[in-house]
Amino acid sequence: MALHAAAFYFTGLASNSRLRAQNFSERGGFKRGFVRAVAVPPLFSTPRPLSRISGFGGAFAGNNSSLETSDSSLVVCFGEMLIDFVPTISGLSLGESPAFKKAPGGAPANVAVGIARLGGSSAFIGKVGEDEFGYMLADILKENNVNNQGMRFDPGARTALAFVTLRNDGEREFMFYRNPSADMLLEEKELDLDIIRKAKIFHYGSISLITEPCKSAHIAAAMVAKDAGVLLSYDPNLRLPLWPSAESARDGILSIWDAADIIKISEEEISFLTKGEDPYDDAVVRKLFHPNLKLLLVTEGPQGCRYYTKEFSGRVSGLKVNAVDTTGAGDAFVAGILSQLATDISLLQDEGRLVEALRFANACGALTVMERGAIPALPTRDAVMNALVNIVA
């Protein structure tokens, strides 16, 4: 199984670089021809301010989909797919890092691949550039058994890039190249609505809400899913440098909060959304539990996670591992829990079985931090089962 991971060494920037002409051929289900060069966009885009989305979080939240949806176990993941460049040496700034490992990433795409690696059924909907990186990402989805028929190519924008600084403890800081990148330009008319309607779960983040036209495409896709009785899964995945301001990020994330059936959030995101309240206080967390929510998950890194439903709540310990790179750990956790909920939604009503499912999800996250990059590190089901037996919680 090819992961397309490589080390990149930067010795200078060539001027007037061109992408080579390519013969037409079938690759990853798409025809490819000459790809024209586009100027590398500047750092840190300045997107249009995000206004609160009226109707979706309110009116659609009232459409409370039942626990019994379709017979499908398909999870459709919507949003960004990009290239992460991860330093080969931890603890250095981006400027000091001598080399970077190229790794496919993007939270929704990570979840899609994670589910497929675990033996589940997944699809990805999003947009990449009509460039070498875009075709590489389409290939990676296909090689990992992710349905990529909802993927679109933009001839006028590049695939997004993110350079990731790794501290010695494996935690990260990001520098993004997208102004605009192709993922921001997905239009409502480009959506594959049939595959959305076939899903058991529709999963998304908040980055796709930052700018138009992707914001409208996101809302339309979620509405179609809700109307079809598909469960909505939301991981805000806060990336403040991509938003115009902290306030617009908070408003944007909360604007679709009440529509979700399942929400996964981190401790830091709780503090951000509640403007500094204690993320370890159950009363604070419960403020984020809206009436139609079926499951709220709080990830705590190596400590594991907390879970909240209307009927019960608790904590599940994580596994003790040596962290190399935490990129993708939360996405692996989401893949772990959604892969099981997609085949048995009744887990949401049985605390004992839900705890076992979350133990599995914690192991998925733990194994992912032991390697650099997100998609290259996502575990198989066998690896997770082995870790649950052999690694101490």
Side-chain angles (χ1 to χ4, degrees):
M1 182 180 293
L3 294 179
H4 297 270
F8 271 27
Y9 293 82
F10 295 92
T11 56
L13 296 176
S15 61
N16 299 321
S17 61
R18 292 179 181 272
L19 293 176
R20 69 180 183 278
Q22 299 159 327
N23 294 327
F24 282 96
S25 63
E26 291 293 328
R27 185 178 181 189
F30 298 94
K31 291 183 179 179
R32 54 193 307 217
F34 180 73
V35 181
R36 65 187 180 87
V38 184
V40 175
L43 288 177
F44 298 115
S45 62
T46 308
R48 298 176 224 170
L50 176 65
S51 59
R52 181 168 293 277
I53 300 165
S54 61
F56 182 66
F60 261 89
N63 182 359
N64 191 15
S65 57
S66 94
L67 294 183
E68 298 301 325
T69 55
S70 68
D71 292 332
S72 167
S73 61
L74 175 68
V75 180
V76 174
C77 300
F78 174 94
E80 68 278 4
M81 189 173 191
L82 48 83
I83 305 292
D84 287 326
F85 287 93
V86 184
T88 55
I89 299 175
S90 299
L92 299 177
S93 69
L94 289 177
E96 295 169 330
S97 298
F100 297 83
K101 178 182 177 181
K102 178 187 66 174
N110 293 343
V111 173
V113 174
I115 289 168
R117 288 267 180 91
L118 295 169
S121 174
S122 66
F124 174 76
I125 292 177
K127 202 172 197 181
V128 293
E130 192 178 312
D131 53 35
E132 279 295 322
F133 284 152
Y135 286 110
M136 184 196 86
L137 293 175
D139 286 349
I140 287 170
L141 291 178
K142 186 177 180 182
E143 290 161 6
N144 282 280
N145 298 314
V146 176
N147 183 320
N148 65 6
Q149 72 184 50
M151 198 170 192
R152 302 291 179 259
F153 287 73
D154 194 306
R158 286 283 178 89
T159 301
L161 307 180
F163 285 81
V164 186
T165 302
L166 297 178
R167 301 200 307 251
N168 286 326
D169 61 1
E171 287 299 327
R172 309 148 297 156
E173 295 174 357
F174 294 84
M175 180 184 290
F176 295 92
Y177 283 74
R178 58 195 306 266
N179 191 29
S181 52
D183 60 287
M184 302 162 67
L185 302 176
L186 181 68
E187 298 181 45
E188 182 178 345
K189 65 184 180 183
E190 296 176 299
L191 294 172
D192 188 327
L193 301 181
D194 287 340
I195 198 167
I196 294 172
R197 294 188 181 103
K198 291 175 183 175
K200 175 66 72 67
I201 298 172
F202 183 70
H203 176 73
Y204 49 85
S206 69
I207 290 175
S208 48
L209 293 172
I210 298 174
T211 57
E212 293 287 6
C214 190
K215 183 179 89 172
S216 291
H218 176 133
I219 300 305
M223 285 181 170
V224 167
K226 197 78 170 178
D227 272 350
V230 179
L231 290 175
L232 301 188
S233 167
Y234 185 24
D235 176 1
N237 193 36
L238 176 65
R239 295 287 180 266
L240 269 179
L242 297 179
W243 292 86
S245 66
E247 195 58 36
S248 68
R250 189 177 294 109
D251 287 346
I253 289 170
L254 292 175
S255 69
I256 62 169
W257 193 263
D258 290 348
D261 298 290
I262 301 163
I263 296 176
K264 173 263 176 189
I265 191 169
S266 69
E267 303 156 283
E268 294 81 7
E269 288 162 346
I270 292 173
S271 293
F272 175 76
L273 293 177
T274 60
K275 298 184 178 181
E277 294 190 51
D278 184 2
Y280 299 100
D281 185 341
D282 280 354
V284 171
V285 178
R286 282 287 182 184
K287 291 179 184 178
L288 296 172
F289 198 99
H290 66 77
N292 297 305
L293 191 60
K294 296 175 177 62
L295 178 63
L296 176 63
L297 297 169
V298 180
T299 52
E300 299 180 340
Q303 304 307 314
C305 68
R306 280 175 279 161
Y307 60 90
Y308 300 82
T309 73
K310 290 177 184 176
E311 291 78 26
F312 47 76
S313 62
R315 181 188 300 271
V316 182
S317 297
L319 301 184
K320 298 188 186 329
V321 297
N322 293 320
V324 173
D325 176 12
T326 58
T327 305
D331 303 326
F333 172 89
V334 172
I337 190 61
L338 293 187
S339 67
Q340 295 175 90
L341 288 173
T343 57
D344 188 1
I345 292 296
S346 68
L347 287 172
L348 294 174
Q349 299 165 321
D350 185 327
E351 184 172 11
R353 291 165 61 226
L354 179 62
V355 166
E356 288 304 311
L358 291 171
R359 189 168 287 116
F360 179 92
N362 282 345
C364 292
L367 290 177
T368 302
V369 307
M370 298 173 70
E371 260 187 74
R372 294 182 191 274
I375 286 178
L378 294 169
T380 63
R381 183 173 185 84
D382 286 345
V384 176
M385 299 307 292
N386 183 62
L388 287 170
V389 172
N390 296 307
I391 299 179
V392 178

